[in-house]
Amino acid sequence: MGTAIGRKIEPGVVDARDAQRALRRINDYLSRTAHSNEDIQVHLETGATDEALVLPRPVAEMFASMLAALANGQGVQIMPVDAVLTTQQAADMLNVSRPYLIGLLESGEIPYKLVGRHRRIRFADLRQYLREDDAKRKEAADELMELDQELGLL
């Protein structure tokens, strides 16, 4: 079923055509029932007519988002918002080395807690760091664009 911190589907594990077909079917259903807040009953293709999987509508909408990514050949990961990560897991999510992440933790860029001798990072704090980092990068890119325009380089 996955680990306590989340479940990942790597790119290419799910056939993109299968994901696209499932996405079309779920999007058709969601658009036909757009004004409904009722749970969704999914009848499995096992031949049994009395067996149905019942999903809350937000879960079905999340499935549609996941299927869209899989149909585009991307991987997906589901992570509980209150998950607590090891330094290696957090570094992997940021796509940085573990020593670089440790530097971010020690400088106060990302909050962490010590559990014994081990640092633990809340997933929510990691997401907040990413949002702030993205905002800083966008601001720097905007400043460079303005400078290019002032200098007539564009």
Side-chain angles (χ1 to χ4, degrees):
M1 178 48 86
T3 65
I5 66 136
R7 172 83 180 175
K8 182 187 287 189
I9 301 174
E10 296 291 341
V13 170
V14 173
D15 182 74
R17 290 181 308 244
D18 290 343
Q20 186 63 40
R21 182 176 75 87
L23 177 60
R24 275 194 309 271
R25 291 180 73 184
I26 196 168
N27 278 340
D28 287 347
Y29 180 83
L30 290 172
S31 65
R32 281 194 322 270
T33 61
H35 299 294
S36 173
N37 288 327
E38 292 184 22
D39 288 346
I40 297 168
Q41 289 190 13
V42 179
H43 294 276
L44 308 174
E45 294 180 353
T46 61
T49 58
D50 61 343
E51 243 184 297
L53 176 65
V54 178
L55 301 173
R57 186 174 187 86
V59 172
E61 291 167 349
M62 185 187 320
F63 279 148
S65 297
M66 292 173 10
L67 286 168
L70 293 167
N72 287 325
Q74 299 171 326
V76 295
Q77 183 168 6
I78 298 174
M79 180 73 61
V81 174
D82 62 349
V84 178
L85 308 171
T86 66
T87 52
Q88 188 59 60
Q89 291 165 331
D92 290 345
M93 291 185 77
L94 293 177
N95 202 24
V96 299
S97 69
R98 189 174 161 278
Y100 182 81
L101 174 76
I102 299 295
L104 292 173
L105 299 176
E106 295 297 326
S107 70
E109 293 281 325
I110 302 172
Y112 69 95
K113 298 245 189 259
L114 281 175
V115 177
R117 306 175 338 168
H118 303 282
R119 296 174 189 91
R120 296 292 184 254
I121 301 103
R122 290 183 34 219
F123 178 62
D125 291 334
L126 196 63
R127 282 189 15 204
Q128 181 63 32
Y129 168 77
L130 283 170
R131 280 192 291 275
E132 291 170 1
D133 190 56
D134 286 346
K136 287 177 192 173
R137 290 173 193 266
K138 183 183 179 328
E139 185 179 315
D142 289 347
E143 288 175 13
L144 284 174
M145 182 89 100
E146 286 177 24
L147 185 58
D148 283 349
Q149 288 174 349
E150 288 175 17
L151 295 174
L153 298 175
L154 285 179

PDB file of all heavy atoms in Angstrom, residues 56-79:
ATOM      1  N   PRO A  56     -15.403   9.468  -2.590  1.00  0.00           N
ATOM      2  CA  PRO A  56     -15.841  10.860  -2.464  1.00  0.00           C
ATOM      3  C   PRO A  56     -15.455  11.626  -3.740  1.00  0.00           C
ATOM      4  O   PRO A  56     -14.423  11.341  -4.356  1.00  0.00           O
ATOM      5  CB  PRO A  56     -15.059  11.381  -1.256  1.00  0.00           C
ATOM      6  CG  PRO A  56     -14.638  10.152  -0.513  1.00  0.00           C
ATOM      7  CD  PRO A  56     -14.462   9.091  -1.545  1.00  0.00           C
ATOM      8  N   ARG A  57     -16.285  12.567  -4.153  1.00  0.00           N
ATOM      9  CA  ARG A  57     -16.039  13.305  -5.397  1.00  0.00           C
ATOM     10  C   ARG A  57     -14.647  13.942  -5.440  1.00  0.00           C
ATOM     11  O   ARG A  57     -13.967  13.861  -6.461  1.00  0.00           O
ATOM     12  CB  ARG A  57     -17.130  14.348  -5.615  1.00  0.00           C
ATOM     13  CG  ARG A  57     -16.999  15.027  -6.966  1.00  0.00           C
ATOM     14  CD  ARG A  57     -18.178  15.958  -7.247  1.00  0.00           C
ATOM     15  NE  ARG A  57     -18.074  16.423  -8.602  1.00  0.00           N
ATOM     16  CZ  ARG A  57     -18.554  15.784  -9.668  1.00  0.00           C
ATOM     17  NH1 ARG A  57     -19.178  14.638  -9.511  1.00  0.00           N
ATOM     18  NH2 ARG A  57     -18.397  16.280 -10.873  1.00  0.00           N
ATOM     19  N   PRO A  58     -14.159  14.569  -4.351  1.00  0.00           N
ATOM     20  CA  PRO A  58     -12.808  15.152  -4.414  1.00  0.00           C
ATOM     21  C   PRO A  58     -11.725  14.121  -4.718  1.00  0.00           C
ATOM     22  O   PRO A  58     -10.723  14.429  -5.358  1.00  0.00           O
ATOM     23  CB  PRO A  58     -12.605  15.776  -3.034  1.00  0.00           C
ATOM     24  CG  PRO A  58     -13.983  16.038  -2.534  1.00  0.00           C
ATOM     25  CD  PRO A  58     -14.831  14.927  -3.089  1.00  0.00           C
ATOM     26  N   VAL A  59     -11.922  12.892  -4.277  1.00  0.00           N
ATOM     27  CA  VAL A  59     -10.948  11.830  -4.561  1.00  0.00           C
ATOM     28  C   VAL A  59     -10.970  11.500  -6.048  1.00  0.00           C
ATOM     29  O   VAL A  59      -9.919  11.345  -6.679  1.00  0.00           O
ATOM     30  CB  VAL A  59     -11.226  10.576  -3.701  1.00  0.00           C
ATOM     31  CG1 VAL A  59     -10.356   9.408  -4.128  1.00  0.00           C
ATOM     32  CG2 VAL A  59     -11.010  10.894  -2.226  1.00  0.00           C
ATOM     33  N   ALA A  60     -12.169  11.418  -6.628  1.00  0.00           N
ATOM     34  CA  ALA A  60     -12.281  11.155  -8.071  1.00  0.00           C
ATOM     35  C   ALA A  60     -11.622  12.278  -8.866  1.00  0.00           C
ATOM     36  O   ALA A  60     -10.951  12.034  -9.872  1.00  0.00           O
ATOM     37  CB  ALA A  60     -13.741  10.992  -8.465  1.00  0.00           C
ATOM     38  N   GLU A  61     -11.782  13.521  -8.400  1.00  0.00           N
ATOM     39  CA  GLU A  61     -11.146  14.659  -9.086  1.00  0.00           C
ATOM     40  C   GLU A  61      -9.628  14.580  -8.963  1.00  0.00           C
ATOM     41  O   GLU A  61      -8.897  14.905  -9.894  1.00  0.00           O
ATOM     42  CB  GLU A  61     -11.697  15.967  -8.520  1.00  0.00           C
ATOM     43  CG  GLU A  61     -13.153  16.183  -8.890  1.00  0.00           C
ATOM     44  CD  GLU A  61     -13.834  17.295  -8.113  1.00  0.00           C
ATOM     45  OE1 GLU A  61     -13.241  17.797  -7.111  1.00  0.00           O
ATOM     46  OE2 GLU A  61     -14.962  17.656  -8.485  1.00  0.00           O
ATOM     47  N   MET A  62      -9.136  14.111  -7.797  1.00  0.00           N
ATOM     48  CA  MET A  62      -7.697  13.936  -7.634  1.00  0.00           C
ATOM     49  C   MET A  62      -7.188  12.839  -8.567  1.00  0.00           C
ATOM     50  O   MET A  62      -6.125  12.969  -9.166  1.00  0.00           O
ATOM     51  CB  MET A  62      -7.327  13.596  -6.192  1.00  0.00           C
ATOM     52  CG  MET A  62      -5.817  13.534  -5.996  1.00  0.00           C
ATOM     53  SD  MET A  62      -5.231  12.965  -4.389  1.00  0.00           S
ATOM     54  CE  MET A  62      -6.311  13.682  -3.236  1.00  0.00           C
ATOM     55  N   PHE A  63      -7.967  11.757  -8.710  1.00  0.00           N
ATOM     56  CA  PHE A  63      -7.598  10.698  -9.653  1.00  0.00           C
ATOM     57  C   PHE A  63      -7.464  11.269 -11.059  1.00  0.00           C
ATOM     58  O   PHE A  63      -6.554  10.908 -11.800  1.00  0.00           O
ATOM     59  CB  PHE A  63      -8.626   9.571  -9.662  1.00  0.00           C
ATOM     60  CG  PHE A  63      -8.471   8.588  -8.534  1.00  0.00           C
ATOM     61  CD1 PHE A  63      -9.588   7.969  -8.003  1.00  0.00           C
ATOM     62  CD2 PHE A  63      -7.239   8.266  -8.003  1.00  0.00           C
ATOM     63  CE1 PHE A  63      -9.463   7.054  -6.973  1.00  0.00           C
ATOM     64  CE2 PHE A  63      -7.096   7.365  -6.971  1.00  0.00           C
ATOM     65  CZ  PHE A  63      -8.221   6.753  -6.457  1.00  0.00           C
ATOM     66  N   ALA A  64      -8.388  12.149 -11.435  1.00  0.00           N
ATOM     67  CA  ALA A  64      -8.327  12.752 -12.773  1.00  0.00           C
ATOM     68  C   ALA A  64      -7.026  13.535 -12.948  1.00  0.00           C
ATOM     69  O   ALA A  64      -6.378  13.445 -13.995  1.00  0.00           O
ATOM     70  CB  ALA A  64      -9.545  13.649 -13.012  1.00  0.00           C
ATOM     71  N   SER A  65      -6.629  14.273 -11.932  1.00  0.00           N
ATOM     72  CA  SER A  65      -5.367  15.031 -12.005  1.00  0.00           C
ATOM     73  C   SER A  65      -4.172  14.086 -12.125  1.00  0.00           C
ATOM     74  O   SER A  65      -3.241  14.334 -12.897  1.00  0.00           O
ATOM     75  CB  SER A  65      -5.186  15.904 -10.764  1.00  0.00           C
ATOM     76  OG  SER A  65      -6.194  16.861 -10.694  1.00  0.00           O
ATOM     77  N   MET A  66      -4.201  13.008 -11.361  1.00  0.00           N
ATOM     78  CA  MET A  66      -3.104  12.034 -11.422  1.00  0.00           C
ATOM     79  C   MET A  66      -3.061  11.367 -12.793  1.00  0.00           C
ATOM     80  O   MET A  66      -1.983  11.195 -13.371  1.00  0.00           O
ATOM     81  CB  MET A  66      -3.269  10.978 -10.323  1.00  0.00           C
ATOM     82  CG  MET A  66      -3.074  11.543  -8.939  1.00  0.00           C
ATOM     83  SD  MET A  66      -3.435  10.436  -7.547  1.00  0.00           S
ATOM     84  CE  MET A  66      -3.648   8.856  -8.216  1.00  0.00           C
ATOM     85  N   LEU A  67      -4.226  11.006 -13.321  1.00  0.00           N
ATOM     86  CA  LEU A  67      -4.281  10.368 -14.637  1.00  0.00           C
ATOM     87  C   LEU A  67      -3.776  11.310 -15.727  1.00  0.00           C
ATOM     88  O   LEU A  67      -3.115  10.876 -16.671  1.00  0.00           O
ATOM     89  CB  LEU A  67      -5.705   9.906 -14.947  1.00  0.00           C
ATOM     90  CG  LEU A  67      -6.166   8.672 -14.174  1.00  0.00           C
ATOM     91  CD1 LEU A  67      -7.669   8.487 -14.324  1.00  0.00           C
ATOM     92  CD2 LEU A  67      -5.421   7.433 -14.643  1.00  0.00           C
ATOM     93  N   ALA A  68      -4.069  12.602 -15.595  1.00  0.00           N
ATOM     94  CA  ALA A  68      -3.581  13.566 -16.583  1.00  0.00           C
ATOM     95  C   ALA A  68      -2.058  13.589 -16.602  1.00  0.00           C
ATOM     96  O   ALA A  68      -1.436  13.601 -17.668  1.00  0.00           O
ATOM     97  CB  ALA A  68      -4.146  14.957 -16.291  1.00  0.00           C
ATOM     98  N   ALA A  69      -1.449  13.581 -15.437  1.00  0.00           N
ATOM     99  CA  ALA A  69       0.019  13.566 -15.370  1.00  0.00           C
ATOM    100  C   ALA A  69       0.565  12.265 -15.950  1.00  0.00           C
ATOM    101  O   ALA A  69       1.521  12.273 -16.729  1.00  0.00           O
ATOM    102  CB  ALA A  69       0.485  13.749 -13.921  1.00  0.00           C
ATOM    103  N   LEU A  70      -0.041  11.139 -15.595  1.00  0.00           N
ATOM    104  CA  LEU A  70       0.420   9.845 -16.105  1.00  0.00           C
ATOM    105  C   LEU A  70       0.243   9.750 -17.613  1.00  0.00           C
ATOM    106  O   LEU A  70       1.091   9.195 -18.309  1.00  0.00           O
ATOM    107  CB  LEU A  70      -0.326   8.705 -15.402  1.00  0.00           C
ATOM    108  CG  LEU A  70      -0.015   8.551 -13.913  1.00  0.00           C
ATOM    109  CD1 LEU A  70      -1.012   7.619 -13.252  1.00  0.00           C
ATOM    110  CD2 LEU A  70       1.414   8.070 -13.706  1.00  0.00           C
ATOM    111  N   ALA A  71      -0.850  10.311 -18.135  1.00  0.00           N
ATOM    112  CA  ALA A  71      -1.090  10.298 -19.581  1.00  0.00           C
ATOM    113  C   ALA A  71      -0.029  11.106 -20.319  1.00  0.00           C
ATOM    114  O   ALA A  71       0.277  10.835 -21.471  1.00  0.00           O
ATOM    115  CB  ALA A  71      -2.480  10.835 -19.892  1.00  0.00           C
ATOM    116  N   ASN A  72       0.557  12.100 -19.627  1.00  0.00           N
ATOM    117  CA  ASN A  72       1.624  12.919 -20.216  1.00  0.00           C
ATOM    118  C   ASN A  72       3.008  12.334 -19.962  1.00  0.00           C
ATOM    119  O   ASN A  72       4.020  12.987 -20.194  1.00  0.00           O
ATOM    120  CB  ASN A  72       1.558  14.346 -19.678  1.00  0.00           C
ATOM    121  CG  ASN A  72       0.403  15.113 -20.239  1.00  0.00           C
ATOM    122  OD1 ASN A  72       0.028  14.932 -21.391  1.00  0.00           O
ATOM    123  ND2 ASN A  72      -0.184  15.975 -19.435  1.00  0.00           N
ATOM    124  N   GLY A  73       3.057  11.113 -19.429  1.00  0.00           N
ATOM    125  CA  GLY A  73       4.336  10.459 -19.192  1.00  0.00           C
ATOM    126  C   GLY A  73       5.048  10.929 -17.944  1.00  0.00           C
ATOM    127  O   GLY A  73       6.230  10.670 -17.762  1.00  0.00           O
ATOM    128  N   GLN A  74       4.337  11.643 -17.077  1.00  0.00           N
ATOM    129  CA  GLN A  74       4.940  12.136 -15.846  1.00  0.00           C
ATOM    130  C   GLN A  74       4.650  11.169 -14.706  1.00  0.00           C
ATOM    131  O   GLN A  74       3.669  10.430 -14.746  1.00  0.00           O
ATOM    132  CB  GLN A  74       4.372  13.509 -15.485  1.00  0.00           C
ATOM    133  CG  GLN A  74       4.626  14.563 -16.525  1.00  0.00           C
ATOM    134  CD  GLN A  74       3.852  15.831 -16.225  1.00  0.00           C
ATOM    135  OE1 GLN A  74       2.747  15.787 -15.707  1.00  0.00           O
ATOM    136  NE2 GLN A  74       4.441  16.963 -16.569  1.00  0.00           N
ATOM    137  N   GLY A  75       5.476  11.194 -13.695  1.00  0.00           N
ATOM    138  CA  GLY A  75       5.213  10.427 -12.495  1.00  0.00           C
ATOM    139  C   GLY A  75       4.340  11.239 -11.558  1.00  0.00           C
ATOM    140  O   GLY A  75       4.181  12.445 -11.732  1.00  0.00           O
ATOM    141  N   VAL A  76       3.759  10.588 -10.584  1.00  0.00           N
ATOM    142  CA  VAL A  76       2.954  11.274  -9.576  1.00  0.00           C
ATOM    143  C   VAL A  76       3.321  10.734  -8.204  1.00  0.00           C
ATOM    144  O   VAL A  76       3.834   9.623  -8.079  1.00  0.00           O
ATOM    145  CB  VAL A  76       1.432  11.099  -9.804  1.00  0.00           C
ATOM    146  CG1 VAL A  76       0.984  11.765 -11.083  1.00  0.00           C
ATOM    147  CG2 VAL A  76       1.034   9.645  -9.795  1.00  0.00           C
ATOM    148  N   GLN A  77       3.058  11.547  -7.206  1.00  0.00           N
ATOM    149  CA  GLN A  77       3.303  11.120  -5.837  1.00  0.00           C
ATOM    150  C   GLN A  77       2.201  11.677  -4.961  1.00  0.00           C
ATOM    151  O   GLN A  77       1.824  12.844  -5.085  1.00  0.00           O
ATOM    152  CB  GLN A  77       4.655  11.634  -5.340  1.00  0.00           C
ATOM    153  CG  GLN A  77       4.994  11.168  -3.956  1.00  0.00           C
ATOM    154  CD  GLN A  77       6.436  11.442  -3.584  1.00  0.00           C
ATOM    155  OE1 GLN A  77       7.162  12.077  -4.323  1.00  0.00           O
ATOM    156  NE2 GLN A  77       6.842  10.972  -2.433  1.00  0.00           N
ATOM    157  N   ILE A  78       1.681  10.842  -4.091  1.00  0.00           N
ATOM    158  CA  ILE A  78       0.684  11.266  -3.113  1.00  0.00           C
ATOM    159  C   ILE A  78       1.383  11.329  -1.771  1.00  0.00           C
ATOM    160  O   ILE A  78       2.057  10.381  -1.367  1.00  0.00           O
ATOM    161  CB  ILE A  78      -0.496  10.271  -3.058  1.00  0.00           C
ATOM    162  CG1 ILE A  78      -1.194  10.224  -4.393  1.00  0.00           C
ATOM    163  CG2 ILE A  78      -1.459  10.659  -1.944  1.00  0.00           C
ATOM    164  CD1 ILE A  78      -2.275   9.173  -4.474  1.00  0.00           C
ATOM    165  N   MET A  79       1.229  12.460  -1.110  1.00  0.00           N
ATOM    166  CA  MET A  79       1.924  12.672   0.147  1.00  0.00           C
ATOM    167  C   MET A  79       0.948  13.248   1.167  1.00  0.00           C
ATOM    168  O   MET A  79       0.323  14.271   0.885  1.00  0.00           O
ATOM    169  CB  MET A  79       3.060  13.672  -0.077  1.00  0.00           C
ATOM    170  CG  MET A  79       3.866  13.983   1.134  1.00  0.00           C
ATOM    171  SD  MET A  79       4.965  12.672   1.642  1.00  0.00           S
ATOM    172  CE  MET A  79       6.014  12.524   0.224  1.00  0.00           C
TER     173      MET A  79
END
